Amino acid sequence: MKIKHHELDIPEDDPFKNCQLSRKPYASILTNIVSTYADGFVLAINNKWGTGKTTFVKMWQQHLKNEHFQTVYFNAWENDFDSNPLIAIMSELKSLTSSGNEAAFKSVVEKGAVLVRNVAPALLKALAKRYIDTEVVVNAIENTAKGVADIFEAEIKEYASKKKTIIEFRQELEKFVKKTDNDKPLIFIIDELDRCRPNYAVEVLEQLKHFFSVPGIIFVLSIDKAHLASAVRGFYGSEQIDTDEYLRRFIDLEYQIPRPSRVNYCKYLFGYFAFENFFSSEGRKKHSVFRQDAPSFLATAEILFNESDASLRQAEKVFGVTRLILSSFSSNQYIFPPLLFILVYLKTLKSDLYEKIEGNKLDLQQLSDAFSDLFPNNLKKSIGRNLVYSQALLLWFYNNGHDYEERIELVKVNGESGPSTPISSRLERSEEGNELANCFKYIQNDYEARSYSNASLDYLLAKINLTENLDIQ
C-alpha cells in the first residue's frame, strides 16, 4: 500500500505515456514555439506549486530529445548551496561537450573563470600588507587617502576588464552552442528557481540576462511566479518593489499549463492508492449496506477537488492519508466514506476549521454553514442530496458529542407537514427545503442506521488522528 505519490516513469520512446493529466498537446505547442523562435529567449512556465510542473518539464525534455533537440535540465533548488550559480550552470553545459566542441567549451570556461574571480579580497590583502603591516602605523593613517584612491582606481580598471570579459564570454558561448552539431536551439530548463534562497534566485536571473543571453539558447524557467516575486522582494528587502516589472526584464514569454481535469485525476488517484482493494474486499462485500461506499467516496472527492483551489500535490496527500486511515477500519465497520474524506480534507488543507470541529468550538448552525461553503451552489440535485446526507451525519455525530443537556433536538415530526429541523442547509435542493430534516429522520429511524445513530464524531476523529492500531496490507 502506498502513502505518497512517487515520480512517474518517463519512457524514452513515449514520454507522456504515463501522464494522467493529458498534457502532451501542450508539449507540442511549446516545441513549435521554441522551433519557430530559435534565436534565443527566456520562456517561463508559470503555474502554482504542486501542479505537476516538474513532471511536465521532464516529460517535455524527453519529447524534445526525441525531436533531436539538445537539452539540459537544471534543478536550481538542489544547487543553491553554492554561492555562484555561474559555476553550476557551466557544469550543466559541460554535459553537452564532445570531441567536436570540447575546445570551444574550454574557451568559454577560461572566460568564465575571470567572471567568478573575487578581486576585492586580493585588493584588501595587498593594501593591508602595504599600510598596516609596516614599521610605523601612523604612515598608514597618513596615506589613507592614497589607499582609497588606489582602491578606486583598481575598481575602475576591474570594471572595464570585467565588462570586456562578459562580451568575450558571450561570444565564446555562442561559438560553443553553434558547435553542438545541431541546427536546433539548445533548450536549457531551469526548475525550482522559486524555492531557492532569494539571493541565489536573483543571481540566476541576473546571470542569465548578462552572461547567457546569446543566440541559440532558449532558457525555460519552470516557476511559480508569485513565489519567485517573494524571493525578489526578500532579496531587495522591500515590499514596494514592482516585481512584475522586474521579472519582465528577464522573461520574454510566459506560458501557463491549463488546469487539468480534477475529475480524471481523482479517478487516477483512487486507482493509484488502491482504494478498491479495501472497498471491494471479501469482508466488506458481505454487507450490502457498504455497496455504495466506493462510488460515493469518489464522487465526493471529485466535487471537492474540482471546485477548490487545492493543488495536485495536495490532492495526492489527502488521498494517500485517507488510504492509510482506512487501514484502521475492520471489514464490518461503517466508514461513512464521503464524510471521512471531507474531514481528512479539512485536517490537511483547512486545519483551522478542523481544529474548531475537533474542539467543539462551533455551534451547529455555524458547522452547517462551514460545511456548505466547501461546495458550489450549482450542484446537480442527486449530488446535492448525497452531500446533504453527509452534512446531516456530521451534524448528528457532532451533536451527540455534547453533554446530554447541551444537545439539540435535530428533527421533529409535525403531523402531515413532515419532519423539520432548526438547522438550515445552504445545500438544500428541494423546493420544500426539508432535505436535511429528512436525512436526520433517516439516521434516527432507519433499521440499518440504528447501530450508529448514537455514535459521536470521535468515532471518525480517532481514526483520522491515527490514535488506533492499523491493519496495513
Side-chain angles (χ1 to χ4, degrees):
M1 186 179 72
K2 302 181 182 73
I3 192 174
K4 64 179 292 186
H5 192 272
H6 299 284
E7 286 190 18
L8 293 178
D9 178 51
I10 302 177
E12 288 187 12
D13 59 338
D14 187 3
F16 284 88
K17 179 180 180 180
N18 296 321
C19 178
Q20 303 298 320
L21 306 175
S22 303
R23 285 177 165 174
K24 185 176 181 179
Y26 312 129
S28 298
I29 291 170
L30 291 174
T31 302
N32 288 336
I33 291 173
V34 299
S35 299
T36 304
Y37 302 98
D39 284 344
F41 65 96
V42 177
L43 164 69
I45 298 177
N46 173 32
N47 287 83
K48 291 182 178 181
W49 281 358
T51 53
K53 292 190 302 296
T54 293
T55 301
F56 173 77
V57 295
K58 287 182 175 180
M59 289 179 173
W60 182 37
Q61 181 191 21
Q62 184 59 53
H63 174 81
L64 288 167
K65 289 179 179 179
N66 294 347
E67 296 293 323
H68 310 294
F69 283 85
Q70 294 274 15
T71 68
V72 173
Y73 175 83
F74 174 62
N75 188 313
W77 191 31
E78 292 179 353
N79 289 278
D80 75 345
F81 59 85
D82 190 75
S83 59
N84 194 330
L86 178 61
I87 297 171
I89 293 173
M90 287 300 298
S91 135
E92 298 296 336
L93 285 174
K94 190 177 186 301
S95 65
L96 301 177
T97 57
S98 63
S99 57
N101 62 12
E102 191 172 1
F105 182 77
K106 184 177 180 182
S107 182
V108 179
V109 170
E110 288 173 352
K111 297 300 179 183
V114 178
L115 296 177
V116 299
R117 189 178 299 142
N118 195 343
V119 180
L123 283 173
L124 292 174
K125 183 177 180 181
L127 287 168
K129 277 189 174 181
R130 186 172 178 183
Y131 296 110
I132 298 174
D133 191 22
T134 58
E135 294 181 1
V136 184
V137 177
V138 71
N139 289 340
I141 299 173
E142 291 172 354
N143 287 285
T144 297
K146 186 177 185 304
V148 171
D150 285 349
I151 293 175
F152 187 58
E153 182 180 358
E155 286 183 346
I156 292 173
K157 291 179 179 179
E158 175 63 21
Y159 173 81
S161 173
K162 196 167 188 176
K163 189 174 181 181
K164 180 174 178 291
T165 304
I166 290 174
I167 295 172
E168 293 173 346
F169 174 83
R170 292 170 67 174
Q171 289 173 342
E172 295 302 318
L173 180 61
E174 185 176 353
K175 292 177 185 177
F176 167 70
V177 173
K178 287 180 178 178
K179 288 183 177 291
T180 56
D181 297 327
N182 198 325
D183 59 353
K184 296 176 185 267
L186 164 63
I187 312 300
F188 197 120
I189 300 169
I190 298 180
D191 195 12
E192 306 278 25
L193 185 63
D194 43 21
R195 294 179 181 268
C196 295
R197 292 178 288 107
N199 59 319
Y200 191 84
V202 171
E203 279 289 322
V204 169
L205 291 173
E206 296 285 353
Q207 291 191 9
L208 292 188
K209 178 179 177 62
H210 296 300
F211 301 161
F212 292 92
S213 182
V214 301
I217 300 184
I218 294 175
F219 283 95
V220 178
L221 306 180
S222 175
I223 59 170
D224 180 335
K225 192 176 176 182
H227 283 278
L228 186 57
S230 296
V232 171
R233 287 191 291 267
F235 177 79
Y236 287 103
S238 172
E239 291 295 321
Q240 305 306 316
I241 186 172
D242 187 344
T243 52
D244 283 338
E245 184 59 35
Y246 176 85
L247 292 174
R248 198 173 290 119
R249 294 166 49 207
F250 305 99
I251 298 170
D252 300 300
L253 178 64
E254 188 174 312
Y255 185 84
Q256 191 166 54
I257 307 169
R259 177 185 169 103
S261 167
R262 301 303 176 93
V263 171
N264 290 342
Y265 198 60
C266 285
K267 287 184 172 68
Y268 161 70
L269 292 175
F270 185 85
Y272 180 85
F273 288 107
F275 280 89
E276 199 62 49
N277 290 353
F278 178 85
F279 287 125
S280 297
S281 66
E282 291 301 319
R284 295 193 72 77
K285 285 196 294 186
K286 294 177 182 178
H287 305 279
S288 60
V289 70
F290 297 151
R291 286 176 184 171
Q292 292 302 308
D293 278 5
S296 64
F297 172 92
L298 188 54
T300 303
E302 290 170 357
I303 295 169
L304 268 176
F305 285 109
N306 198 46
E307 299 299 330
S308 77
D309 59 356
S311 70
L312 301 181
R313 187 177 295 131
Q314 288 170 328
E316 291 166 6
K317 184 172 183 180
V318 176
F319 269 85
V321 171
T322 304
R323 183 63 183 90
L324 177 66
I325 291 168
L326 288 182
S327 300
S328 65
F329 288 90
S330 61
S331 61
N332 63 346
Q333 282 186 298
Y334 284 93
I335 296 171
F336 315 108
L339 178 57
L340 177 72
F341 190 81
I342 291 167
L343 289 171
V344 177
Y345 172 91
L346 293 178
K347 183 175 183 179
T348 307
L349 303 181
K350 297 180 181 294
S351 58
D352 289 347
L353 177 55
Y354 180 85
E355 289 171 5
K356 287 178 182 178
I357 294 173
E358 189 178 29
N360 293 314
K361 303 296 184 184
L362 303 172
D363 62 39
L364 287 169
Q365 188 57 58
Q366 289 173 330
L367 180 57
S368 177
D369 292 343
F371 184 95
S372 298
D373 288 343
L374 296 174
F375 303 97
N377 294 321
N378 58 348
L379 291 173
K380 294 179 181 179
K381 282 189 176 182
S382 59
I383 297 174
R385 289 193 186 97
N386 291 334
L387 288 178
V388 172
Y389 179 66
S390 295
Q391 184 179 33
L393 283 173
L394 174 63
L395 294 168
W396 189 277
F397 294 156
Y398 187 82
N399 192 43
N400 284 348
H402 290 79
D403 292 336
Y404 185 78
E405 58 271 16
E406 294 178 349
R407 295 183 191 177
I408 293 175
E409 187 178 359
L410 288 176
V411 60
K412 295 180 180 179
V413 178
N414 303 313
E416 295 181 358
S417 62
S420 65
T421 177
I423 309 300
S424 63
S425 169
R426 297 174 188 164
L427 297 176
E428 288 275 7
R429 290 291 174 271
S430 68
E431 294 180 2
E432 297 81 10
N434 62 355
E435 284 181 348
L436 187 63
N438 284 329
C439 288
F440 285 144
K441 190 64 179 175
Y442 175 83
I443 295 170
Q444 184 182 61
N445 294 336
D446 184 76
Y447 176 81
E448 293 286 352
R450 288 176 185 172
S451 60
Y452 66 77
S453 61
N454 292 322
S456 76
L457 197 59
D458 287 341
Y459 169 70
L460 290 179
L461 296 182
K463 307 284 189 180
I464 294 169
N465 294 333
L466 299 178
T467 57
E468 298 183 4
N469 285 330
L470 305 179
D471 180 20
I472 298 177
Q473 297 178 356

